[in-house]
Amino acid sequence: MRKRKLAGVFASFMLAAGVMAGCGSSTSTSSGGGDEKGGEIKIGANLELSGGVASYGQSIKEGIDLALEEINKEGIDGKKLKLVVVDNKSEAPEAINGATKLISQDKVSAIIGAATSGNTKAQIEIAQSNNVPIITPTGTAADVTVKDGKLNDFVFRTCFIDPFQGTVAANFAAKELKVKTAAVFIDSSSDYSKGLAASFKEKFEKEGGKVVTQEAYVAKDTDFHAQLTNIKGKNPEFIFVPGYYEEVGLIVKQAREVGLDAPMMGADGWDSPKLVELAGKDALNNTFITNHYSSGDSDQKVQEFVKAFKAKYKDKSPDAFNALGYDSAYFLADAIKRAGGGDSKKIQKALAETSGLELVTGQMKLDKDHNPIKSAVILEYKDGEQTFKTKVNP
């Protein structure tokens, strides 16, 4: 997701080699953490707390903190969950370093994070080698849990996957907005963006639509006027922009500046308060996103979460990353309870067997690839505010 510096990669490799030394393959007998001294079970959080997508990691941590505050009021069979946090700085080499530290030094029983698919995938070999479960709250790429047809059995997620989001967006464009032509504007450096674009295009064309043009940019770009002018020349009725808020905010702003008034849509990568700052409230009108949850959903569990979150965070309205962080902590706590403690292998087995767990973002039931089968919501921006439009079942 971000270019790696050779020095960083080398340092990360050396650290990872240390933690994997003597562990062998994923069939190792190591069970990672499980240190329950003092009535505590250590769990890790490997999150983007600084760097390019810091907003995601910070939101996830807020959700985890609220959940653990609630869980630890009674504890789990008399034990408290102790969170050990590392900042991966929004970089894959740092995610490797973080996982290495959490497993080898802190002896955690499981890790929540990272936020992005790329930073989650960076940790997988270490987690698999040491039999320590990873739960990504928001890593939506399909190959996080399955690579080349093989299940990463110690890797789980709380969110739905990119192909589902792309399909939902295409259905919304074709059936709700009733558009026939679309443009796609992707981050060519991001597997997340390319995967969403591919699933959108496939479904949109199956519904009788036509993608009239596709343009590209790369992460950290700031001037998109040339590509947007090319898109305008094709006169699409709809523009799909599956990217992250840093670039998307500027894209939406500049799209309106060149006279592109067509509805625009993205996915959960748009979901950050920074998006409104970058794009401006007016420019975001007539834009939509697929997401995991909405604070405007009338579901009782959602509204109880919103109330608790606002009470803790000074009336701040929780976003989807807050909700998925919160749900990830409860997903893990439920597995720890059923596992009878902090043994990582037993927690992995309990996570895999999860079914019917009611969470804020929906009921957790995992398929064979460790992907949740759950609903999505569509949100519309109105004067800078996300408004709940509809919920879509899988």
Side-chain angles (χ1 to χ4, degrees):
M1 294 186 56
R2 296 286 187 264
K3 292 182 179 178
R4 301 183 182 188
K5 296 180 180 178
L6 284 175
V9 173
F10 180 74
S12 300
F13 173 79
M14 294 303 292
L15 281 167
V19 76
M20 289 188 289
C23 294
S25 69
S26 61
T27 59
S28 163
T29 57
S30 167
S31 60
D35 184 359
E36 299 180 25
K37 292 180 181 178
E40 292 180 336
I41 298 172
K42 287 184 182 179
I43 62 173
N46 189 346
L47 297 171
E48 295 80 343
L49 300 176
S50 63
V53 290
S55 176
Y56 299 157
Q58 291 164 5
S59 288
I60 288 169
K61 185 176 182 298
E62 287 176 340
I64 294 171
D65 287 344
L66 174 59
L68 293 185
E69 187 178 282
E70 295 173 354
I71 292 164
N72 283 337
K73 285 179 181 177
E74 295 186 5
I76 300 174
D77 297 329
K79 299 180 179 68
K80 307 289 187 183
L81 298 184
K82 181 180 180 180
L83 186 68
V84 183
V85 182
V86 295
D87 176 13
N88 64 43
K89 303 176 184 177
S90 301
E91 297 289 348
E94 291 296 334
I96 295 171
N97 293 344
T100 301
K101 176 186 178 295
L102 289 170
I103 292 171
S104 65
Q105 295 180 28
D106 299 308
K107 306 295 184 184
V108 299
S109 295
I111 297 172
I112 298 176
T116 66
S117 297
N119 293 336
T120 301
K121 286 188 278 188
Q123 307 174 71
I124 288 175
E125 185 176 354
I126 296 169
Q128 289 287 119
S129 295
N130 288 274
N131 297 322
V132 174
I134 289 177
I135 301 172
T136 173
T138 51
T140 52
D143 63 352
V144 165
T145 57
V146 176
K147 182 68 173 177
D148 298 327
K150 182 180 178 181
L151 177 68
N152 294 320
D153 55 339
F154 276 80
V155 184
F156 300 84
R157 68 175 112 222
T158 319
C159 54
F160 47 64
I161 60 175
D162 289 337
F164 180 54
Q165 286 198 88
T167 298
V168 168
N171 277 333
F172 178 75
K175 296 178 180 180
E176 298 296 323
L177 299 182
K178 300 188 184 304
V179 299
K180 297 295 184 183
T181 60
V184 176
F185 194 14
I186 68 165
D187 176 354
S188 61
S189 64
S190 165
D191 290 341
Y192 166 82
S193 187
K194 291 184 287 188
L196 277 163
S199 58
F200 171 85
K201 185 175 185 292
E202 180 181 3
K203 183 61 177 178
F204 187 67
E205 291 181 343
K206 279 185 179 179
E207 294 298 326
K210 182 179 181 182
V211 174
V212 295
T213 187
Q214 179 168 304
E215 292 284 338
Y217 63 93
V218 296
K220 302 297 185 183
D221 282 353
T222 57
D223 186 352
F224 308 94
H225 287 92
Q227 300 100 311
L228 292 167
T229 298
N230 290 341
I231 289 172
K232 184 182 178 184
K234 299 295 184 179
N235 198 32
E237 297 175 276
F238 179 86
I239 306 167
F240 187 54
V241 190
Y244 294 128
Y245 67 90
E246 285 181 295
E247 291 81 23
V248 168
L250 298 176
I251 288 170
V252 172
K253 182 176 185 290
Q254 293 171 25
R256 302 317 188 200
E257 288 173 352
V258 302
L260 272 170
D261 298 323
M264 302 176 72
M265 189 168 190
D268 57 344
W270 286 39
D271 190 22
S272 168
K274 295 289 185 183
L275 179 72
V276 181
E277 295 177 20
L278 292 166
K281 294 180 180 180
D282 291 342
L284 278 169
N285 286 332
N286 202 26
T287 67
F288 307 85
I289 62 172
T290 56
N291 215 340
H292 307 265
Y293 131 105
S294 168
S295 61
D297 190 336
S298 60
D299 181 88
Q300 182 180 349
K301 197 164 188 67
V302 171
Q303 289 309 308
E304 288 174 353
F305 164 68
V306 171
K307 182 179 178 180
F309 189 90
K310 286 185 173 182
K312 181 173 175 63
Y313 295 108
K314 299 178 181 178
D315 210 35
K316 176 185 174 183
S317 183
D319 61 23
F321 288 83
N322 295 135
L324 285 165
Y326 180 88
D327 279 357
S328 295
Y330 270 101
F331 179 28
L332 178 55
D334 175 72
I336 290 172
K337 183 174 180 61
R338 288 184 286 111
D343 182 275
S344 296
K345 285 185 176 180
K346 291 180 180 179
I347 292 170
Q348 183 274 343
K349 184 174 184 293
L351 286 167
E353 293 171 350
T354 301
S355 180
L357 178 64
E358 292 290 343
L359 299 173
V360 171
T361 59
Q363 187 181 91
M364 280 293 287
K365 180 180 180 181
L366 300 183
D367 66 15
K368 64 180 178 61
D369 294 332
H370 291 181
N371 298 320
I373 303 167
K374 61 199 300 190
S375 60
V377 298
I378 293 174
L379 308 176
E380 179 178 2
Y381 282 93
K382 293 183 178 180
D383 297 325
E385 298 290 333
Q386 291 182 355
T387 60
F388 178 72
K389 191 160 185 72
T390 189
K391 182 178 283 188
V392 181
N393 292 317

